[in-house]
Amino acid sequence: MTQQEPPKFDLDKLLAVASNAGYAQLIGMRIVTAEAGIGRATIAVDERLQHPQMIVHGGVIFTLADTAMSMAVLSLYPPGTRVSTIEAKINFLAPTRTGELLAEATIVHQGRSTSVVEATVFNLVDGEQKPVARMLGTFSIGRPKTE
């Protein structure tokens, strides 16, 4: 009897599923990459994402960073692996009014059941890249769902 090899990470499938999620579509978020413990996600800034002071709402920035961090973690596991944020802390560094936001995440520590990940969110305007937030989070890693 031969042992069946576990399914391998499938970048295209992960990007398709994550990008088609309802909330991602609602705010216009796009997953750029999820590979080798690195995740990136972007969103174009528009007035839908701003609060009355006409700056991007902190919850949008948090969501973008959290998504990039999730992609970094998921990139290391087979399809169906469940991850969830169990703790996160964010520092907002500067307001954002225009341009595009890019979150880049990398893994700080990878354990068996948790992962610590950090992300920087940048505001891209006129060819310049300015950091607007830094986030550190801990993720729970669950067993893949069975078919």
PDB file of all heavy atoms in Angstrom, residues 37-51:
ATOM      1  N   GLY A  37       6.042  32.417   2.153  1.00  0.00           N
ATOM      2  CA  GLY A  37       5.938  33.160   3.394  1.00  0.00           C
ATOM      3  C   GLY A  37       5.821  34.659   3.242  1.00  0.00           C
ATOM      4  O   GLY A  37       5.999  35.410   4.200  1.00  0.00           O
ATOM      5  N   ILE A  38       5.479  35.107   2.043  1.00  0.00           N
ATOM      6  CA  ILE A  38       5.292  36.540   1.778  1.00  0.00           C
ATOM      7  C   ILE A  38       3.900  36.745   1.194  1.00  0.00           C
ATOM      8  O   ILE A  38       3.468  35.982   0.335  1.00  0.00           O
ATOM      9  CB  ILE A  38       6.355  37.062   0.797  1.00  0.00           C
ATOM     10  CG1 ILE A  38       7.738  36.949   1.431  1.00  0.00           C
ATOM     11  CG2 ILE A  38       6.072  38.496   0.370  1.00  0.00           C
ATOM     12  CD1 ILE A  38       8.876  37.236   0.494  1.00  0.00           C
ATOM     13  N   GLY A  39       3.199  37.756   1.672  1.00  0.00           N
ATOM     14  CA  GLY A  39       1.880  38.078   1.144  1.00  0.00           C
ATOM     15  C   GLY A  39       1.796  39.554   0.802  1.00  0.00           C
ATOM     16  O   GLY A  39       2.382  40.389   1.506  1.00  0.00           O
ATOM     17  N   ARG A  40       1.090  39.853  -0.282  1.00  0.00           N
ATOM     18  CA  ARG A  40       0.882  41.250  -0.687  1.00  0.00           C
ATOM     19  C   ARG A  40      -0.564  41.427  -1.134  1.00  0.00           C
ATOM     20  O   ARG A  40      -1.108  40.570  -1.836  1.00  0.00           O
ATOM     21  CB  ARG A  40       1.817  41.634  -1.834  1.00  0.00           C
ATOM     22  CG  ARG A  40       3.259  41.759  -1.445  1.00  0.00           C
ATOM     23  CD  ARG A  40       4.122  42.280  -2.599  1.00  0.00           C
ATOM     24  NE  ARG A  40       5.511  42.297  -2.226  1.00  0.00           N
ATOM     25  CZ  ARG A  40       6.359  41.269  -2.417  1.00  0.00           C
ATOM     26  NH1 ARG A  40       5.944  40.170  -3.007  1.00  0.00           N
ATOM     27  NH2 ARG A  40       7.617  41.375  -2.027  1.00  0.00           N
ATOM     28  N   ALA A  41      -1.132  42.574  -0.758  1.00  0.00           N
ATOM     29  CA  ALA A  41      -2.491  42.911  -1.178  1.00  0.00           C
ATOM     30  C   ALA A  41      -2.557  44.415  -1.410  1.00  0.00           C
ATOM     31  O   ALA A  41      -1.829  45.179  -0.772  1.00  0.00           O
ATOM     32  CB  ALA A  41      -3.500  42.493  -0.113  1.00  0.00           C
ATOM     33  N   THR A  42      -3.424  44.821  -2.337  1.00  0.00           N
ATOM     34  CA  THR A  42      -3.553  46.243  -2.666  1.00  0.00           C
ATOM     35  C   THR A  42      -5.017  46.666  -2.687  1.00  0.00           C
ATOM     36  O   THR A  42      -5.917  45.838  -2.807  1.00  0.00           O
ATOM     37  CB  THR A  42      -2.948  46.588  -4.050  1.00  0.00           C
ATOM     38  OG1 THR A  42      -3.700  45.904  -5.059  1.00  0.00           O
ATOM     39  CG2 THR A  42      -1.490  46.216  -4.144  1.00  0.00           C
ATOM     40  N   ILE A  43      -5.188  47.970  -2.619  1.00  0.00           N
ATOM     41  CA  ILE A  43      -6.518  48.551  -2.750  1.00  0.00           C
ATOM     42  C   ILE A  43      -6.353  49.988  -3.249  1.00  0.00           C
ATOM     43  O   ILE A  43      -5.451  50.699  -2.804  1.00  0.00           O
ATOM     44  CB  ILE A  43      -7.288  48.511  -1.406  1.00  0.00           C
ATOM     45  CG1 ILE A  43      -8.742  48.875  -1.597  1.00  0.00           C
ATOM     46  CG2 ILE A  43      -6.634  49.377  -0.364  1.00  0.00           C
ATOM     47  CD1 ILE A  43      -9.596  48.552  -0.393  1.00  0.00           C
ATOM     48  N   ALA A  44      -7.176  50.372  -4.202  1.00  0.00           N
ATOM     49  CA  ALA A  44      -7.161  51.751  -4.698  1.00  0.00           C
ATOM     50  C   ALA A  44      -7.964  52.620  -3.740  1.00  0.00           C
ATOM     51  O   ALA A  44      -9.059  52.255  -3.321  1.00  0.00           O
ATOM     52  CB  ALA A  44      -7.762  51.818  -6.098  1.00  0.00           C
ATOM     53  N   VAL A  45      -7.405  53.758  -3.394  1.00  0.00           N
ATOM     54  CA  VAL A  45      -8.073  54.677  -2.464  1.00  0.00           C
ATOM     55  C   VAL A  45      -9.165  55.437  -3.203  1.00  0.00           C
ATOM     56  O   VAL A  45      -8.932  55.971  -4.284  1.00  0.00           O
ATOM     57  CB  VAL A  45      -7.052  55.659  -1.850  1.00  0.00           C
ATOM     58  CG1 VAL A  45      -7.758  56.723  -1.004  1.00  0.00           C
ATOM     59  CG2 VAL A  45      -6.016  54.908  -1.027  1.00  0.00           C
ATOM     60  N   ASP A  46     -10.353  55.450  -2.624  1.00  0.00           N
ATOM     61  CA  ASP A  46     -11.439  56.300  -3.130  1.00  0.00           C
ATOM     62  C   ASP A  46     -12.316  56.707  -1.949  1.00  0.00           C
ATOM     63  O   ASP A  46     -12.117  56.241  -0.822  1.00  0.00           O
ATOM     64  CB  ASP A  46     -12.243  55.622  -4.250  1.00  0.00           C
ATOM     65  CG  ASP A  46     -13.002  54.398  -3.803  1.00  0.00           C
ATOM     66  OD1 ASP A  46     -13.547  54.383  -2.674  1.00  0.00           O
ATOM     67  OD2 ASP A  46     -13.082  53.438  -4.584  1.00  0.00           O
ATOM     68  N   GLU A  47     -13.258  57.588  -2.217  1.00  0.00           N
ATOM     69  CA  GLU A  47     -14.059  58.148  -1.118  1.00  0.00           C
ATOM     70  C   GLU A  47     -14.905  57.122  -0.369  1.00  0.00           C
ATOM     71  O   GLU A  47     -15.273  57.343   0.776  1.00  0.00           O
ATOM     72  CB  GLU A  47     -14.919  59.327  -1.591  1.00  0.00           C
ATOM     73  CG  GLU A  47     -15.777  59.109  -2.798  1.00  0.00           C
ATOM     74  CD  GLU A  47     -15.026  59.232  -4.125  1.00  0.00           C
ATOM     75  OE1 GLU A  47     -13.950  59.841  -4.210  1.00  0.00           O
ATOM     76  OE2 GLU A  47     -15.551  58.676  -5.103  1.00  0.00           O
ATOM     77  N   ARG A  48     -15.190  55.973  -0.987  1.00  0.00           N
ATOM     78  CA  ARG A  48     -15.953  54.929  -0.283  1.00  0.00           C
ATOM     79  C   ARG A  48     -15.217  54.420   0.948  1.00  0.00           C
ATOM     80  O   ARG A  48     -15.832  53.937   1.890  1.00  0.00           O
ATOM     81  CB  ARG A  48     -16.209  53.715  -1.186  1.00  0.00           C
ATOM     82  CG  ARG A  48     -17.056  53.939  -2.387  1.00  0.00           C
ATOM     83  CD  ARG A  48     -17.123  52.680  -3.265  1.00  0.00           C
ATOM     84  NE  ARG A  48     -15.800  52.143  -3.552  1.00  0.00           N
ATOM     85  CZ  ARG A  48     -15.371  50.926  -3.188  1.00  0.00           C
ATOM     86  NH1 ARG A  48     -16.165  50.096  -2.548  1.00  0.00           N
ATOM     87  NH2 ARG A  48     -14.154  50.520  -3.477  1.00  0.00           N
ATOM     88  N   LEU A  49     -13.892  54.517   0.934  1.00  0.00           N
ATOM     89  CA  LEU A  49     -13.063  53.969   1.998  1.00  0.00           C
ATOM     90  C   LEU A  49     -12.698  55.007   3.053  1.00  0.00           C
ATOM     91  O   LEU A  49     -12.011  54.696   4.016  1.00  0.00           O
ATOM     92  CB  LEU A  49     -11.770  53.392   1.405  1.00  0.00           C
ATOM     93  CG  LEU A  49     -11.952  52.387   0.276  1.00  0.00           C
ATOM     94  CD1 LEU A  49     -10.597  51.954  -0.272  1.00  0.00           C
ATOM     95  CD2 LEU A  49     -12.754  51.184   0.735  1.00  0.00           C
ATOM     96  N   GLN A  50     -13.189  56.232   2.876  1.00  0.00           N
ATOM     97  CA  GLN A  50     -12.804  57.323   3.761  1.00  0.00           C
ATOM     98  C   GLN A  50     -13.904  57.645   4.767  1.00  0.00           C
ATOM     99  O   GLN A  50     -15.082  57.499   4.483  1.00  0.00           O
ATOM    100  CB  GLN A  50     -12.473  58.559   2.928  1.00  0.00           C
ATOM    101  CG  GLN A  50     -11.282  58.326   2.025  1.00  0.00           C
ATOM    102  CD  GLN A  50     -11.015  59.486   1.085  1.00  0.00           C
ATOM    103  OE1 GLN A  50     -11.906  60.240   0.750  1.00  0.00           O
ATOM    104  NE2 GLN A  50      -9.765  59.603   0.664  1.00  0.00           N
ATOM    105  N   HIS A  51     -13.471  58.098   5.928  1.00  0.00           N
ATOM    106  CA  HIS A  51     -14.448  58.565   6.910  1.00  0.00           C
ATOM    107  C   HIS A  51     -14.677  60.065   6.702  1.00  0.00           C
ATOM    108  O   HIS A  51     -14.085  60.656   5.784  1.00  0.00           O
ATOM    109  CB  HIS A  51     -14.040  58.197   8.336  1.00  0.00           C
ATOM    110  CG  HIS A  51     -12.710  58.686   8.792  1.00  0.00           C
ATOM    111  ND1 HIS A  51     -12.376  60.012   8.867  1.00  0.00           N
ATOM    112  CD2 HIS A  51     -11.619  58.017   9.219  1.00  0.00           C
ATOM    113  CE1 HIS A  51     -11.159  60.136   9.332  1.00  0.00           C
ATOM    114  NE2 HIS A  51     -10.672  58.933   9.532  1.00  0.00           N
TER     115      HIS A  51
END
